[in-house]
Amino acid sequence: MYFVSDRSNKTMTEQETELCLSELVGDEKVENSNQENVDLRKPQWSNKFQGIIAVLGYSVGLGNLWRFPYICQKNGGGAFLIPYVISTAVLAIPLFILEVSLGQFSAKGPIKIWAICPLMTGLGFCILAVSCIIVPYYSMMFAWALYYIYSSFSAVLPWTTCGNPWNTPLCVVVGDNGVNSSIYIKTTQENVTAPYTTESTGHAKFNKTQKASESNVFGHTSTEEFWQNKVLGVSTGIDDLGAMQPHLVICWFITCVAFFLCIMKGIKSLGKVVYVTALMPYVLLFVFLVRSCTMPGAVDGILFFLTPDFTRLQHPQVWLEAMVQVFFSVGPAWGTLIVMASHNSFNSNVIRDSIIVTVIGELTSVFAGIVAFATVGYLAHSLQQPVADVVTSGPGIGFIVYPEAVALLPLPQLWSVFFFITVLMIAVDSMLGHVETAIGCMEDLLPRRFHIKHLQTIMAAVFMGAVVLSGLVFTTHGGIYVFQLVDWYFAAVACYIIAVLECVAVGWCYGVKRFSADVQMMIGKRLPVIYKVACFIVVPALLITALVLTLASYKPPRYGEYDYPMSAIVFGWSLALLSVVPIPVTMVIQMLKMEGSLAQRIKASVMPSRAWLRLRRQHGLEDEQESISVKDNLLFMIGR
């Protein structure tokens, strides 16, 4: 391996400024020493297995445990598995391999890595914006789980009984003795003020008594009322946020402190923790599955989950939901895979590792769904209701179905603590990945002179301090409305655009031939033709189509019977577009830096920078900075 060092008379201040900004397009200083080049690589995982477990811990997150079961139920149960598996094979695996390859080859952060195609530098800033949005939003589930752990230390689990201050007269108890008779209340009690029933939080709806001229009587299980009335304390709408709730504020503060302590040392601490946090959930979920399958009605729930309704496949929305769910369950297009892979050893088998993690992640989604719907089947049996009507879709399924399951185990308090500790482990793995991504972006933006010994700790403290403040809105009485709004909009545009532009930047700007040679240098094999066609032709085409259809089928968000005001909808779209704004802005900036006509500027800005070419020379690869024609690129892609 060799490379050529550029010499100049620039001052140290000029060099630092260039490393902060211009390095984003590749004009960095490289010492004329291979040993120093090795030192420039990021700290690596202790071993290859640790790296795989860390990526698995990130990929197997709350998206598998919470989101997948309710999305699957919403789209017809087992029928959803068909487009989901197809989306995984066609979209998730190619994107997973793409991002892991980029991170492992370059050992760079989400911003500096786009020296591979300076015109796409905005993708790094887009990833930073997404991380800043997703961390406070998704971490709130960690805080909710903490409150459930606290509530588990009681003689009787508070969500297993009615008659508590937060319960309504419509409360029902589901357990070994059947349904509480309070379901048969008089319809004159219907006016009791109760929270909105909602698809987002997973409320049950019951029609056990009804008069022809009056509305249905809606009852709530004790588990649902604890979640809705006690934990969330839901207000009347997003314009009625109310005060911050002390119990959620405390849990939120503990959440942020815990994240800071886990990430302050970077992968040194994270690499040791993932052995427990990534593997223990499988053990506990298996125990829950065994217990759930012994309950009456469990088989009906599992069959509802697994039996496909092929008529649902005629609806484009089902396929769209499958594509979006892939991003939540597997985790491509968020930049975290790039960061995780940047700590891999250079010769790790990216294709093998990516397929292993992806397959395990998707099997985990199905596994978690079986556990959830075994419990749903039991609830349906107890309430004498169809499975589809017992618990409607929503992220709250994790705080309703699973708590109901642990309440039926011997020593329910102990199992409740164990289960929600599992939730915390899963949340930690996922969120630390996003926190590390944001910190990686911040590190890329800092001049070299600020890269001091405790930089990781300082940046972690600054970032988590901002997260503490931004997440306080979720602790209010109307916080769940904000949570639902963010969930509705934040991934509506960004995930598609990031994924499409990644494929375009690598496959058509950088060139499939260069990328394939990079992968061959790492694993000793070139990419197969089927992968190159799928990743750089099929994936962008499908995602662009999906984005267009998503926007065309747009519906304003609703929270049960609650319609969001126009101001909230405007805010939601602003949030969705905020993360993608840096892309066109940086494109303009990059072209302004170039010289010549518009065509010459565009051509120069899509070619790999000098920094990236030096990186390739370090690994013994060709270093000519020349463009590759579309025809040559396409011919190489199909193996000619």
Side-chain angles (χ1 to χ4, degrees), residues 377-389:
Y378 168 70
L379 297 179
H381 178 271
S382 300
L383 296 171
Q384 299 179 0
Q385 294 284 316
V387 174
D389 295 339

Side-chain angles (χ1 to χ4, degrees), residues 118-136:
L119 187 67
M120 299 296 180
T121 302
L123 286 176
F125 294 94
C126 182
I127 289 171
L128 173 61
V130 169
S131 298
C132 292
I133 294 173
I134 197 174
V135 169

Side-chain angles (χ1 to χ4, degrees), residues 189-206:
Q189 292 180 314
E190 292 179 30
N191 291 330
V192 175
T193 301
Y196 290 100
T197 59
T198 172
E199 292 187 356
S200 175
T201 55
H203 281 86
K205 300 181 180 181
F206 307 100

Side-chain angles (χ1 to χ4, degrees), residues 541-558:
L542 287 178
L543 290 180
I544 292 173
T545 302
L547 176 59
V548 173
L549 292 177
T550 298
L551 297 177
S553 61
Y554 164 78
K555 294 180 181 179
R558 297 192 71 191

Side-chain angles (χ1 to χ4, degrees), residues 176-321:
D176 294 333
N177 295 325
V179 182
N180 190 299
S181 61
S182 63
I183 189 67
Y184 300 104
I185 62 174
K186 297 181 180 179
T187 54
T188 54
Q189 292 180 314
E190 292 179 30
N191 291 330
V192 175
T193 301
Y196 290 100
T197 59
T198 172
E199 292 187 356
S200 175
T201 55
H203 281 86
K205 300 181 180 181
F206 307 100
N207 296 333
K208 299 286 284 189
T209 60
Q210 182 178 4
K211 292 185 178 180
S213 60
E214 297 183 27
S215 302
N216 296 341
V217 176
F218 290 169
H220 299 273
T221 65
S222 56
T223 311
E224 293 171 305
E225 292 204 349
F226 177 80
W227 159 249
Q228 182 77 349
N229 300 356
K230 177 62 175 176
V231 179
L232 299 179
V234 177
S235 66
T236 58
I238 196 171
D239 52 353
D240 182 23
L241 290 179
M244 292 181 291
Q245 302 176 82
H247 66 285
L248 290 183
V249 172
I250 294 173
C251 292
W252 176 242
F253 180 76
I254 295 174
T255 296
C256 294
V257 171
F259 283 177
F260 168 73
L261 294 177
C262 290
I263 203 65
M264 62 181 294
K265 297 297 183 180
I267 67 168
K268 292 182 180 179
S269 56
L270 180 60
K272 298 176 181 178
V273 171
V274 293
Y275 285 113
V276 177
T277 58
L279 299 178
M280 183 60 69
Y282 290 97
V283 177
L284 296 179
L285 284 177
F286 178 76
V287 174
F288 296 141
L289 175 61
V290 173
R291 180 63 179 93
S292 298
C293 289
T294 63
M295 299 184 295
V299 175
D300 294 334
I302 294 175
L303 290 177
F304 174 81
F305 176 66
L306 296 178
T307 302
D309 178 9
F310 293 103
T311 60
R312 293 287 298 166
L313 301 181
Q314 301 174 4
H315 302 281
Q317 187 64 29
V318 175
W319 295 85
L320 290 177
E321 293 274 15

Side-chain angles (χ1 to χ4, degrees), residues 442-521:
M442 294 165 58
E443 184 178 357
D444 283 351
L445 295 174
L446 287 176
R448 184 62 57 86
R449 61 179 174 178
F450 292 112
H451 288 203
I452 57 179
K453 182 178 180 180
H454 300 291
L455 178 63
Q456 172 78 19
T457 303
I458 295 173
M459 290 192 300
V462 172
F463 181 75
M464 291 311 303
V467 169
V468 170
L469 298 178
S470 61
L472 288 175
V473 66
F474 298 118
T475 68
T476 63
H477 290 280
I480 188 63
Y481 295 102
V482 182
F483 182 92
Q484 168 72 355
L485 189 68
V486 175
D487 181 67
W488 192 280
Y489 283 104
F490 95 99
V493 176
C495 63
Y496 292 114
I497 293 179
I498 293 175
V500 169
L501 292 183
E502 281 183 350
C503 294
V504 171
V506 176
W508 298 98
C509 297
Y510 181 59
V512 179
K513 185 175 182 179
R514 285 194 182 106
F515 180 65
S516 183
D518 295 345
V519 173
Q520 184 179 17
M521 181 59 62

